[in-house]
Amino acid sequence: MTSTEWITDIALLLVVFRQLREGRLDLKTFLIPLGIVAFVASQYLDSVPTGGNDLVLIGSLVAVGAVLGIAGGVYTRIRVSGKHLLIKAGAVSATLWVVGMGARMGFQLWTEHGGASHVARFSVTHHITSDQAWVAAFVLMALTEVVTRLATIYLRSRMVDRGQEAAVAGPALSVRRGA
């Protein structure tokens, strides 16, 4: 693995660890992880191979990324404090994030230290046409995990925000009706 790969992998892991401490849900919450995966995608996603069973591999890992991302977003606590929304990743959310991001990193380390022949045999047996299919699959898995996690957090934050507004507006409406 190159220095850039180590830095981006560690940065993605640190994103969720930063959220283990409760903090304000703001634009940075969304832009930092999106910026990191956009950089990774621009560096490593040259093409999306479509031969053989490449799309099956890619689709499978994208699905795994979506499940991990949605679950991670669901297990992230969002609450209202005054006029602000606060966010805190719980243990389940952090574990799912580390599993997803760590799997990609672990796979790459394994292939560089003895696992390449196993991957090559698997690829031939299952009609995976190139190593670019693996790269695309893992990059798109990471991208999907980040985007679905953030989308889930965003949707949940809107529901929490609306719930707070309804709780505040509810008594005012009933008072007006009774007046």
PDB file of all heavy atoms in Angstrom, residues 122-161:
ATOM      1  N   PHE A 122      -9.712 -17.388  -7.649  1.00  0.00           N
ATOM      2  CA  PHE A 122     -11.131 -17.077  -7.452  1.00  0.00           C
ATOM      3  C   PHE A 122     -11.664 -16.312  -8.667  1.00  0.00           C
ATOM      4  O   PHE A 122     -12.759 -16.596  -9.157  1.00  0.00           O
ATOM      5  CB  PHE A 122     -11.315 -16.242  -6.179  1.00  0.00           C
ATOM      6  CG  PHE A 122     -12.748 -15.869  -5.909  1.00  0.00           C
ATOM      7  CD1 PHE A 122     -13.565 -16.684  -5.133  1.00  0.00           C
ATOM      8  CD2 PHE A 122     -13.297 -14.701  -6.432  1.00  0.00           C
ATOM      9  CE1 PHE A 122     -14.887 -16.345  -4.888  1.00  0.00           C
ATOM     10  CE2 PHE A 122     -14.617 -14.347  -6.189  1.00  0.00           C
ATOM     11  CZ  PHE A 122     -15.414 -15.168  -5.418  1.00  0.00           C
ATOM     12  N   SER A 123     -10.888 -15.353  -9.131  1.00  0.00           N
ATOM     13  CA  SER A 123     -11.303 -14.529 -10.276  1.00  0.00           C
ATOM     14  C   SER A 123     -11.492 -15.377 -11.531  1.00  0.00           C
ATOM     15  O   SER A 123     -12.477 -15.201 -12.256  1.00  0.00           O
ATOM     16  CB  SER A 123     -10.279 -13.425 -10.539  1.00  0.00           C
ATOM     17  OG  SER A 123     -10.245 -12.531  -9.457  1.00  0.00           O
ATOM     18  N   VAL A 124     -10.563 -16.289 -11.785  1.00  0.00           N
ATOM     19  CA  VAL A 124     -10.673 -17.154 -12.967  1.00  0.00           C
ATOM     20  C   VAL A 124     -11.894 -18.060 -12.824  1.00  0.00           C
ATOM     21  O   VAL A 124     -12.699 -18.189 -13.749  1.00  0.00           O
ATOM     22  CB  VAL A 124      -9.376 -17.976 -13.169  1.00  0.00           C
ATOM     23  CG1 VAL A 124      -9.585 -19.076 -14.197  1.00  0.00           C
ATOM     24  CG2 VAL A 124      -8.226 -17.062 -13.572  1.00  0.00           C
ATOM     25  N   THR A 125     -12.042 -18.669 -11.662  1.00  0.00           N
ATOM     26  CA  THR A 125     -13.155 -19.590 -11.417  1.00  0.00           C
ATOM     27  C   THR A 125     -14.508 -18.895 -11.565  1.00  0.00           C
ATOM     28  O   THR A 125     -15.463 -19.475 -12.084  1.00  0.00           O
ATOM     29  CB  THR A 125     -13.046 -20.207 -10.002  1.00  0.00           C
ATOM     30  OG1 THR A 125     -11.802 -20.882  -9.901  1.00  0.00           O
ATOM     31  CG2 THR A 125     -14.180 -21.176  -9.720  1.00  0.00           C
ATOM     32  N   HIS A 126     -14.576 -17.641 -11.126  1.00  0.00           N
ATOM     33  CA  HIS A 126     -15.854 -16.925 -11.108  1.00  0.00           C
ATOM     34  C   HIS A 126     -15.979 -15.871 -12.218  1.00  0.00           C
ATOM     35  O   HIS A 126     -16.858 -15.014 -12.165  1.00  0.00           O
ATOM     36  CB  HIS A 126     -16.072 -16.289  -9.733  1.00  0.00           C
ATOM     37  CG  HIS A 126     -16.253 -17.312  -8.663  1.00  0.00           C
ATOM     38  ND1 HIS A 126     -15.197 -17.835  -7.952  1.00  0.00           N
ATOM     39  CD2 HIS A 126     -17.364 -17.960  -8.221  1.00  0.00           C
ATOM     40  CE1 HIS A 126     -15.640 -18.730  -7.091  1.00  0.00           C
ATOM     41  NE2 HIS A 126     -16.957 -18.832  -7.242  1.00  0.00           N
ATOM     42  N   HIS A 127     -15.093 -15.956 -13.181  1.00  0.00           N
ATOM     43  CA  HIS A 127     -15.153 -15.102 -14.377  1.00  0.00           C
ATOM     44  C   HIS A 127     -15.080 -13.605 -14.063  1.00  0.00           C
ATOM     45  O   HIS A 127     -15.790 -12.797 -14.646  1.00  0.00           O
ATOM     46  CB  HIS A 127     -16.400 -15.412 -15.216  1.00  0.00           C
ATOM     47  CG  HIS A 127     -16.551 -16.869 -15.519  1.00  0.00           C
ATOM     48  ND1 HIS A 127     -15.713 -17.538 -16.399  1.00  0.00           N
ATOM     49  CD2 HIS A 127     -17.410 -17.790 -15.032  1.00  0.00           C
ATOM     50  CE1 HIS A 127     -16.064 -18.813 -16.437  1.00  0.00           C
ATOM     51  NE2 HIS A 127     -17.082 -18.992 -15.625  1.00  0.00           N
ATOM     52  N   ILE A 128     -14.188 -13.264 -13.130  1.00  0.00           N
ATOM     53  CA  ILE A 128     -13.872 -11.855 -12.853  1.00  0.00           C
ATOM     54  C   ILE A 128     -12.725 -11.528 -13.802  1.00  0.00           C
ATOM     55  O   ILE A 128     -11.693 -12.200 -13.786  1.00  0.00           O
ATOM     56  CB  ILE A 128     -13.438 -11.633 -11.383  1.00  0.00           C
ATOM     57  CG1 ILE A 128     -14.444 -12.232 -10.397  1.00  0.00           C
ATOM     58  CG2 ILE A 128     -13.174 -10.162 -11.109  1.00  0.00           C
ATOM     59  CD1 ILE A 128     -15.820 -11.664 -10.410  1.00  0.00           C
ATOM     60  N   THR A 129     -12.891 -10.514 -14.634  1.00  0.00           N
ATOM     61  CA  THR A 129     -11.979 -10.334 -15.767  1.00  0.00           C
ATOM     62  C   THR A 129     -10.662  -9.634 -15.461  1.00  0.00           C
ATOM     63  O   THR A 129      -9.713  -9.803 -16.213  1.00  0.00           O
ATOM     64  CB  THR A 129     -12.677  -9.564 -16.904  1.00  0.00           C
ATOM     65  OG1 THR A 129     -13.021  -8.253 -16.446  1.00  0.00           O
ATOM     66  CG2 THR A 129     -13.912 -10.303 -17.379  1.00  0.00           C
ATOM     67  N   SER A 130     -10.606  -8.829 -14.389  1.00  0.00           N
ATOM     68  CA  SER A 130      -9.353  -8.102 -14.144  1.00  0.00           C
ATOM     69  C   SER A 130      -9.261  -7.639 -12.703  1.00  0.00           C
ATOM     70  O   SER A 130     -10.247  -7.652 -11.963  1.00  0.00           O
ATOM     71  CB  SER A 130      -9.264  -6.872 -15.065  1.00  0.00           C
ATOM     72  OG  SER A 130     -10.227  -5.907 -14.676  1.00  0.00           O
ATOM     73  N   ASP A 131      -8.063  -7.189 -12.330  1.00  0.00           N
ATOM     74  CA  ASP A 131      -7.897  -6.627 -10.993  1.00  0.00           C
ATOM     75  C   ASP A 131      -8.643  -5.301 -10.859  1.00  0.00           C
ATOM     76  O   ASP A 131      -9.020  -4.901  -9.768  1.00  0.00           O
ATOM     77  CB  ASP A 131      -6.425  -6.478 -10.625  1.00  0.00           C
ATOM     78  CG  ASP A 131      -5.668  -5.554 -11.565  1.00  0.00           C
ATOM     79  OD1 ASP A 131      -6.142  -5.260 -12.671  1.00  0.00           O
ATOM     80  OD2 ASP A 131      -4.562  -5.123 -11.173  1.00  0.00           O
ATOM     81  N   GLN A 132      -8.898  -4.621 -11.982  1.00  0.00           N
ATOM     82  CA  GLN A 132      -9.661  -3.371 -11.937  1.00  0.00           C
ATOM     83  C   GLN A 132     -11.091  -3.610 -11.452  1.00  0.00           C
ATOM     84  O   GLN A 132     -11.692  -2.741 -10.832  1.00  0.00           O
ATOM     85  CB  GLN A 132      -9.662  -2.673 -13.305  1.00  0.00           C
ATOM     86  CG  GLN A 132     -10.359  -1.322 -13.315  1.00  0.00           C
ATOM     87  CD  GLN A 132      -9.767  -0.301 -12.345  1.00  0.00           C
ATOM     88  OE1 GLN A 132      -8.575  -0.279 -12.090  1.00  0.00           O
ATOM     89  NE2 GLN A 132     -10.622   0.534 -11.783  1.00  0.00           N
ATOM     90  N   ALA A 133     -11.622  -4.800 -11.675  1.00  0.00           N
ATOM     91  CA  ALA A 133     -12.956  -5.124 -11.166  1.00  0.00           C
ATOM     92  C   ALA A 133     -12.952  -5.124  -9.639  1.00  0.00           C
ATOM     93  O   ALA A 133     -13.889  -4.625  -9.003  1.00  0.00           O
ATOM     94  CB  ALA A 133     -13.416  -6.484 -11.695  1.00  0.00           C
ATOM     95  N   TRP A 134     -11.891  -5.660  -9.047  1.00  0.00           N
ATOM     96  CA  TRP A 134     -11.757  -5.662  -7.588  1.00  0.00           C
ATOM     97  C   TRP A 134     -11.598  -4.242  -7.064  1.00  0.00           C
ATOM     98  O   TRP A 134     -12.200  -3.873  -6.059  1.00  0.00           O
ATOM     99  CB  TRP A 134     -10.582  -6.543  -7.150  1.00  0.00           C
ATOM    100  CG  TRP A 134     -10.848  -8.000  -7.343  1.00  0.00           C
ATOM    101  CD1 TRP A 134     -10.457  -8.783  -8.397  1.00  0.00           C
ATOM    102  CD2 TRP A 134     -11.602  -8.838  -6.477  1.00  0.00           C
ATOM    103  NE1 TRP A 134     -10.914 -10.056  -8.226  1.00  0.00           N
ATOM    104  CE2 TRP A 134     -11.609 -10.130  -7.052  1.00  0.00           C
ATOM    105  CE3 TRP A 134     -12.257  -8.647  -5.265  1.00  0.00           C
ATOM    106  CZ2 TRP A 134     -12.260 -11.204  -6.459  1.00  0.00           C
ATOM    107  CZ3 TRP A 134     -12.900  -9.712  -4.671  1.00  0.00           C
ATOM    108  CH2 TRP A 134     -12.899 -10.978  -5.268  1.00  0.00           C
ATOM    109  N   VAL A 135     -10.767  -3.458  -7.732  1.00  0.00           N
ATOM    110  CA  VAL A 135     -10.556  -2.061  -7.319  1.00  0.00           C
ATOM    111  C   VAL A 135     -11.887  -1.312  -7.372  1.00  0.00           C
ATOM    112  O   VAL A 135     -12.281  -0.646  -6.407  1.00  0.00           O
ATOM    113  CB  VAL A 135      -9.496  -1.371  -8.211  1.00  0.00           C
ATOM    114  CG1 VAL A 135      -9.435   0.130  -7.935  1.00  0.00           C
ATOM    115  CG2 VAL A 135      -8.122  -2.010  -8.007  1.00  0.00           C
ATOM    116  N   ALA A 136     -12.590  -1.419  -8.501  1.00  0.00           N
ATOM    117  CA  ALA A 136     -13.874  -0.729  -8.658  1.00  0.00           C
ATOM    118  C   ALA A 136     -14.865  -1.190  -7.591  1.00  0.00           C
ATOM    119  O   ALA A 136     -15.582  -0.368  -7.010  1.00  0.00           O
ATOM    120  CB  ALA A 136     -14.433  -0.973 -10.055  1.00  0.00           C
ATOM    121  N   ALA A 137     -14.899  -2.487  -7.336  1.00  0.00           N
ATOM    122  CA  ALA A 137     -15.849  -3.027  -6.359  1.00  0.00           C
ATOM    123  C   ALA A 137     -15.598  -2.456  -4.964  1.00  0.00           C
ATOM    124  O   ALA A 137     -16.537  -2.022  -4.284  1.00  0.00           O
ATOM    125  CB  ALA A 137     -15.767  -4.553  -6.337  1.00  0.00           C
ATOM    126  N   PHE A 138     -14.339  -2.433  -4.542  1.00  0.00           N
ATOM    127  CA  PHE A 138     -14.043  -1.937  -3.195  1.00  0.00           C
ATOM    128  C   PHE A 138     -14.161  -0.416  -3.093  1.00  0.00           C
ATOM    129  O   PHE A 138     -14.619   0.102  -2.075  1.00  0.00           O
ATOM    130  CB  PHE A 138     -12.670  -2.421  -2.726  1.00  0.00           C
ATOM    131  CG  PHE A 138     -12.712  -3.809  -2.145  1.00  0.00           C
ATOM    132  CD1 PHE A 138     -12.208  -4.885  -2.857  1.00  0.00           C
ATOM    133  CD2 PHE A 138     -13.279  -4.054  -0.907  1.00  0.00           C
ATOM    134  CE1 PHE A 138     -12.254  -6.174  -2.333  1.00  0.00           C
ATOM    135  CE2 PHE A 138     -13.342  -5.329  -0.376  1.00  0.00           C
ATOM    136  CZ  PHE A 138     -12.822  -6.397  -1.087  1.00  0.00           C
ATOM    137  N   VAL A 139     -13.777   0.305  -4.117  1.00  0.00           N
ATOM    138  CA  VAL A 139     -13.934   1.764  -4.094  1.00  0.00           C
ATOM    139  C   VAL A 139     -15.416   2.121  -4.073  1.00  0.00           C
ATOM    140  O   VAL A 139     -15.853   2.980  -3.293  1.00  0.00           O
ATOM    141  CB  VAL A 139     -13.203   2.430  -5.289  1.00  0.00           C
ATOM    142  CG1 VAL A 139     -13.597   3.891  -5.422  1.00  0.00           C
ATOM    143  CG2 VAL A 139     -11.695   2.307  -5.127  1.00  0.00           C
ATOM    144  N   LEU A 140     -16.199   1.470  -4.916  1.00  0.00           N
ATOM    145  CA  LEU A 140     -17.635   1.751  -4.943  1.00  0.00           C
ATOM    146  C   LEU A 140     -18.331   1.287  -3.666  1.00  0.00           C
ATOM    147  O   LEU A 140     -19.306   1.900  -3.220  1.00  0.00           O
ATOM    148  CB  LEU A 140     -18.280   1.138  -6.182  1.00  0.00           C
ATOM    149  CG  LEU A 140     -17.866   1.813  -7.499  1.00  0.00           C
ATOM    150  CD1 LEU A 140     -18.377   1.031  -8.696  1.00  0.00           C
ATOM    151  CD2 LEU A 140     -18.352   3.259  -7.541  1.00  0.00           C
ATOM    152  N   MET A 141     -17.828   0.229  -3.036  1.00  0.00           N
ATOM    153  CA  MET A 141     -18.357  -0.199  -1.744  1.00  0.00           C
ATOM    154  C   MET A 141     -18.143   0.903  -0.711  1.00  0.00           C
ATOM    155  O   MET A 141     -19.064   1.255   0.033  1.00  0.00           O
ATOM    156  CB  MET A 141     -17.670  -1.482  -1.288  1.00  0.00           C
ATOM    157  CG  MET A 141     -18.067  -1.947   0.100  1.00  0.00           C
ATOM    158  SD  MET A 141     -17.026  -3.330   0.602  1.00  0.00           S
ATOM    159  CE  MET A 141     -17.335  -3.364   2.350  1.00  0.00           C
ATOM    160  N   ALA A 142     -16.916   1.446  -0.658  1.00  0.00           N
ATOM    161  CA  ALA A 142     -16.613   2.516   0.296  1.00  0.00           C
ATOM    162  C   ALA A 142     -17.455   3.751   0.009  1.00  0.00           C
ATOM    163  O   ALA A 142     -18.031   4.355   0.924  1.00  0.00           O
ATOM    164  CB  ALA A 142     -15.127   2.861   0.252  1.00  0.00           C
ATOM    165  N   LEU A 143     -17.541   4.119  -1.251  1.00  0.00           N
ATOM    166  CA  LEU A 143     -18.333   5.285  -1.641  1.00  0.00           C
ATOM    167  C   LEU A 143     -19.802   5.093  -1.255  1.00  0.00           C
ATOM    168  O   LEU A 143     -20.435   5.987  -0.684  1.00  0.00           O
ATOM    169  CB  LEU A 143     -18.208   5.506  -3.151  1.00  0.00           C
ATOM    170  CG  LEU A 143     -18.985   6.665  -3.740  1.00  0.00           C
ATOM    171  CD1 LEU A 143     -18.427   7.984  -3.249  1.00  0.00           C
ATOM    172  CD2 LEU A 143     -18.933   6.615  -5.258  1.00  0.00           C
ATOM    173  N   THR A 144     -20.327   3.912  -1.518  1.00  0.00           N
ATOM    174  CA  THR A 144     -21.725   3.615  -1.183  1.00  0.00           C
ATOM    175  C   THR A 144     -21.941   3.628   0.321  1.00  0.00           C
ATOM    176  O   THR A 144     -22.950   4.158   0.805  1.00  0.00           O
ATOM    177  CB  THR A 144     -22.144   2.253  -1.773  1.00  0.00           C
ATOM    178  OG1 THR A 144     -21.934   2.286  -3.186  1.00  0.00           O
ATOM    179  CG2 THR A 144     -23.592   1.937  -1.469  1.00  0.00           C
ATOM    180  N   GLU A 145     -20.993   3.067   1.074  1.00  0.00           N
ATOM    181  CA  GLU A 145     -21.135   3.063   2.534  1.00  0.00           C
ATOM    182  C   GLU A 145     -21.180   4.486   3.074  1.00  0.00           C
ATOM    183  O   GLU A 145     -22.019   4.824   3.906  1.00  0.00           O
ATOM    184  CB  GLU A 145     -20.002   2.280   3.197  1.00  0.00           C
ATOM    185  CG  GLU A 145     -20.154   2.206   4.709  1.00  0.00           C
ATOM    186  CD  GLU A 145     -19.107   1.365   5.392  1.00  0.00           C
ATOM    187  OE1 GLU A 145     -18.249   0.780   4.717  1.00  0.00           O
ATOM    188  OE2 GLU A 145     -19.151   1.302   6.639  1.00  0.00           O
ATOM    189  N   VAL A 146     -20.295   5.334   2.586  1.00  0.00           N
ATOM    190  CA  VAL A 146     -20.257   6.716   3.059  1.00  0.00           C
ATOM    191  C   VAL A 146     -21.541   7.449   2.669  1.00  0.00           C
ATOM    192  O   VAL A 146     -22.181   8.099   3.505  1.00  0.00           O
ATOM    193  CB  VAL A 146     -19.015   7.447   2.499  1.00  0.00           C
ATOM    194  CG1 VAL A 146     -19.097   8.946   2.739  1.00  0.00           C
ATOM    195  CG2 VAL A 146     -17.745   6.881   3.116  1.00  0.00           C
ATOM    196  N   VAL A 147     -21.927   7.351   1.411  1.00  0.00           N
ATOM    197  CA  VAL A 147     -23.097   8.097   0.931  1.00  0.00           C
ATOM    198  C   VAL A 147     -24.377   7.619   1.625  1.00  0.00           C
ATOM    199  O   VAL A 147     -25.202   8.432   2.051  1.00  0.00           O
ATOM    200  CB  VAL A 147     -23.214   8.006  -0.605  1.00  0.00           C
ATOM    201  CG1 VAL A 147     -24.545   8.550  -1.097  1.00  0.00           C
ATOM    202  CG2 VAL A 147     -22.058   8.758  -1.256  1.00  0.00           C
ATOM    203  N   THR A 148     -24.569   6.309   1.770  1.00  0.00           N
ATOM    204  CA  THR A 148     -25.794   5.818   2.401  1.00  0.00           C
ATOM    205  C   THR A 148     -25.820   6.132   3.893  1.00  0.00           C
ATOM    206  O   THR A 148     -26.887   6.437   4.443  1.00  0.00           O
ATOM    207  CB  THR A 148     -26.007   4.307   2.168  1.00  0.00           C
ATOM    208  OG1 THR A 148     -24.873   3.589   2.640  1.00  0.00           O
ATOM    209  CG2 THR A 148     -26.279   4.009   0.708  1.00  0.00           C
ATOM    210  N   ARG A 149     -24.677   6.094   4.544  1.00  0.00           N
ATOM    211  CA  ARG A 149     -24.619   6.465   5.966  1.00  0.00           C
ATOM    212  C   ARG A 149     -24.996   7.934   6.136  1.00  0.00           C
ATOM    213  O   ARG A 149     -25.815   8.288   6.979  1.00  0.00           O
ATOM    214  CB  ARG A 149     -23.230   6.202   6.531  1.00  0.00           C
ATOM    215  CG  ARG A 149     -23.116   6.539   8.014  1.00  0.00           C
ATOM    216  CD  ARG A 149     -21.726   6.201   8.551  1.00  0.00           C
ATOM    217  NE  ARG A 149     -21.658   6.427   9.964  1.00  0.00           N
ATOM    218  CZ  ARG A 149     -21.364   7.612  10.512  1.00  0.00           C
ATOM    219  NH1 ARG A 149     -21.097   8.651   9.756  1.00  0.00           N
ATOM    220  NH2 ARG A 149     -21.331   7.740  11.822  1.00  0.00           N
ATOM    221  N   LEU A 150     -24.391   8.784   5.316  1.00  0.00           N
ATOM    222  CA  LEU A 150     -24.687  10.208   5.411  1.00  0.00           C
ATOM    223  C   LEU A 150     -26.135  10.516   5.029  1.00  0.00           C
ATOM    224  O   LEU A 150     -26.790  11.355   5.653  1.00  0.00           O
ATOM    225  CB  LEU A 150     -23.720  11.012   4.545  1.00  0.00           C
ATOM    226  CG  LEU A 150     -22.265  10.996   5.004  1.00  0.00           C
ATOM    227  CD1 LEU A 150     -21.377  11.707   4.000  1.00  0.00           C
ATOM    228  CD2 LEU A 150     -22.121  11.602   6.395  1.00  0.00           C
ATOM    229  N   ALA A 151     -26.641   9.836   4.017  1.00  0.00           N
ATOM    230  CA  ALA A 151     -28.037  10.048   3.614  1.00  0.00           C
ATOM    231  C   ALA A 151     -28.986   9.621   4.731  1.00  0.00           C
ATOM    232  O   ALA A 151     -29.975  10.316   5.011  1.00  0.00           O
ATOM    233  CB  ALA A 151     -28.344   9.282   2.331  1.00  0.00           C
ATOM    234  N   THR A 152     -28.682   8.511   5.376  1.00  0.00           N
ATOM    235  CA  THR A 152     -29.506   8.040   6.487  1.00  0.00           C
ATOM    236  C   THR A 152     -29.470   9.033   7.643  1.00  0.00           C
ATOM    237  O   THR A 152     -30.507   9.362   8.223  1.00  0.00           O
ATOM    238  CB  THR A 152     -29.041   6.641   6.956  1.00  0.00           C
ATOM    239  OG1 THR A 152     -29.099   5.741   5.847  1.00  0.00           O
ATOM    240  CG2 THR A 152     -29.894   6.117   8.093  1.00  0.00           C
ATOM    241  N   ILE A 153     -28.282   9.518   7.958  1.00  0.00           N
ATOM    242  CA  ILE A 153     -28.150  10.518   9.026  1.00  0.00           C
ATOM    243  C   ILE A 153     -28.909  11.787   8.655  1.00  0.00           C
ATOM    244  O   ILE A 153     -29.616  12.373   9.480  1.00  0.00           O
ATOM    245  CB  ILE A 153     -26.662  10.809   9.320  1.00  0.00           C
ATOM    246  CG1 ILE A 153     -26.036   9.605  10.022  1.00  0.00           C
ATOM    247  CG2 ILE A 153     -26.499  12.082  10.151  1.00  0.00           C
ATOM    248  CD1 ILE A 153     -24.524   9.663  10.148  1.00  0.00           C
ATOM    249  N   TYR A 154     -28.792  12.211   7.411  1.00  0.00           N
ATOM    250  CA  TYR A 154     -29.492  13.419   6.979  1.00  0.00           C
ATOM    251  C   TYR A 154     -31.006  13.246   7.105  1.00  0.00           C
ATOM    252  O   TYR A 154     -31.696  14.100   7.661  1.00  0.00           O
ATOM    253  CB  TYR A 154     -29.116  13.769   5.532  1.00  0.00           C
ATOM    254  CG  TYR A 154     -29.891  14.956   5.022  1.00  0.00           C
ATOM    255  CD1 TYR A 154     -29.527  16.249   5.392  1.00  0.00           C
ATOM    256  CD2 TYR A 154     -31.009  14.785   4.216  1.00  0.00           C
ATOM    257  CE1 TYR A 154     -30.259  17.341   4.957  1.00  0.00           C
ATOM    258  CE2 TYR A 154     -31.740  15.866   3.776  1.00  0.00           C
ATOM    259  CZ  TYR A 154     -31.363  17.142   4.145  1.00  0.00           C
ATOM    260  OH  TYR A 154     -32.096  18.217   3.720  1.00  0.00           O
ATOM    261  N   LEU A 155     -31.531  12.141   6.592  1.00  0.00           N
ATOM    262  CA  LEU A 155     -32.974  11.899   6.668  1.00  0.00           C
ATOM    263  C   LEU A 155     -33.452  11.818   8.115  1.00  0.00           C
ATOM    264  O   LEU A 155     -34.487  12.385   8.468  1.00  0.00           O
ATOM    265  CB  LEU A 155     -33.345  10.632   5.906  1.00  0.00           C
ATOM    266  CG  LEU A 155     -33.178  10.705   4.387  1.00  0.00           C
ATOM    267  CD1 LEU A 155     -33.393   9.328   3.764  1.00  0.00           C
ATOM    268  CD2 LEU A 155     -34.120  11.736   3.787  1.00  0.00           C
ATOM    269  N   ARG A 156     -32.687  11.126   8.939  1.00  0.00           N
ATOM    270  CA  ARG A 156     -33.051  11.023  10.356  1.00  0.00           C
ATOM    271  C   ARG A 156     -32.981  12.379  11.038  1.00  0.00           C
ATOM    272  O   ARG A 156     -33.818  12.695  11.886  1.00  0.00           O
ATOM    273  CB  ARG A 156     -32.147  10.018  11.063  1.00  0.00           C
ATOM    274  CG  ARG A 156     -32.441   8.580  10.648  1.00  0.00           C
ATOM    275  CD  ARG A 156     -31.644   7.567  11.445  1.00  0.00           C
ATOM    276  NE  ARG A 156     -31.940   7.709  12.857  1.00  0.00           N
ATOM    277  CZ  ARG A 156     -31.002   7.891  13.787  1.00  0.00           C
ATOM    278  NH1 ARG A 156     -29.725   7.911  13.484  1.00  0.00           N
ATOM    279  NH2 ARG A 156     -31.343   8.016  15.054  1.00  0.00           N
ATOM    280  N   SER A 157     -32.002  13.197  10.664  1.00  0.00           N
ATOM    281  CA  SER A 157     -31.887  14.522  11.285  1.00  0.00           C
ATOM    282  C   SER A 157     -33.076  15.394  10.917  1.00  0.00           C
ATOM    283  O   SER A 157     -33.554  16.174  11.727  1.00  0.00           O
ATOM    284  CB  SER A 157     -30.573  15.198  10.887  1.00  0.00           C
ATOM    285  OG  SER A 157     -30.602  15.650   9.542  1.00  0.00           O
ATOM    286  N   ARG A 158     -33.584  15.258   9.692  1.00  0.00           N
ATOM    287  CA  ARG A 158     -34.772  16.024   9.286  1.00  0.00           C
ATOM    288  C   ARG A 158     -35.989  15.556  10.084  1.00  0.00           C
ATOM    289  O   ARG A 158     -36.823  16.357  10.464  1.00  0.00           O
ATOM    290  CB  ARG A 158     -35.059  15.871   7.787  1.00  0.00           C
ATOM    291  CG  ARG A 158     -33.996  16.430   6.868  1.00  0.00           C
ATOM    292  CD  ARG A 158     -33.769  17.923   7.034  1.00  0.00           C
ATOM    293  NE  ARG A 158     -32.581  18.114   7.844  1.00  0.00           N
ATOM    294  CZ  ARG A 158     -32.285  19.164   8.609  1.00  0.00           C
ATOM    295  NH1 ARG A 158     -33.069  20.176   8.686  1.00  0.00           N
ATOM    296  NH2 ARG A 158     -31.184  19.229   9.309  1.00  0.00           N
ATOM    297  N   MET A 159     -36.085  14.249  10.337  1.00  0.00           N
ATOM    298  CA  MET A 159     -37.209  13.728  11.115  1.00  0.00           C
ATOM    299  C   MET A 159     -37.110  14.202  12.564  1.00  0.00           C
ATOM    300  O   MET A 159     -38.120  14.590  13.153  1.00  0.00           O
ATOM    301  CB  MET A 159     -37.248  12.199  11.050  1.00  0.00           C
ATOM    302  CG  MET A 159     -37.609  11.698   9.671  1.00  0.00           C
ATOM    303  SD  MET A 159     -37.796   9.903   9.442  1.00  0.00           S
ATOM    304  CE  MET A 159     -36.844   9.139  10.672  1.00  0.00           C
ATOM    305  N   VAL A 160     -35.929  14.178  13.132  1.00  0.00           N
ATOM    306  CA  VAL A 160     -35.732  14.653  14.506  1.00  0.00           C
ATOM    307  C   VAL A 160     -36.053  16.133  14.578  1.00  0.00           C
ATOM    308  O   VAL A 160     -36.744  16.588  15.480  1.00  0.00           O
ATOM    309  CB  VAL A 160     -34.280  14.387  14.987  1.00  0.00           C
ATOM    310  CG1 VAL A 160     -33.973  15.149  16.266  1.00  0.00           C
ATOM    311  CG2 VAL A 160     -34.052  12.905  15.178  1.00  0.00           C
ATOM    312  N   ASP A 161     -35.577  16.896  13.602  1.00  0.00           N
ATOM    313  CA  ASP A 161     -35.814  18.337  13.562  1.00  0.00           C
ATOM    314  C   ASP A 161     -37.310  18.623  13.455  1.00  0.00           C
ATOM    315  O   ASP A 161     -37.843  19.470  14.154  1.00  0.00           O
ATOM    316  CB  ASP A 161     -35.054  18.936  12.376  1.00  0.00           C
ATOM    317  CG  ASP A 161     -34.703  20.398  12.595  1.00  0.00           C
ATOM    318  OD1 ASP A 161     -34.697  20.843  13.760  1.00  0.00           O
ATOM    319  OD2 ASP A 161     -34.438  21.086  11.592  1.00  0.00           O
TER     320      ASP A 161
END
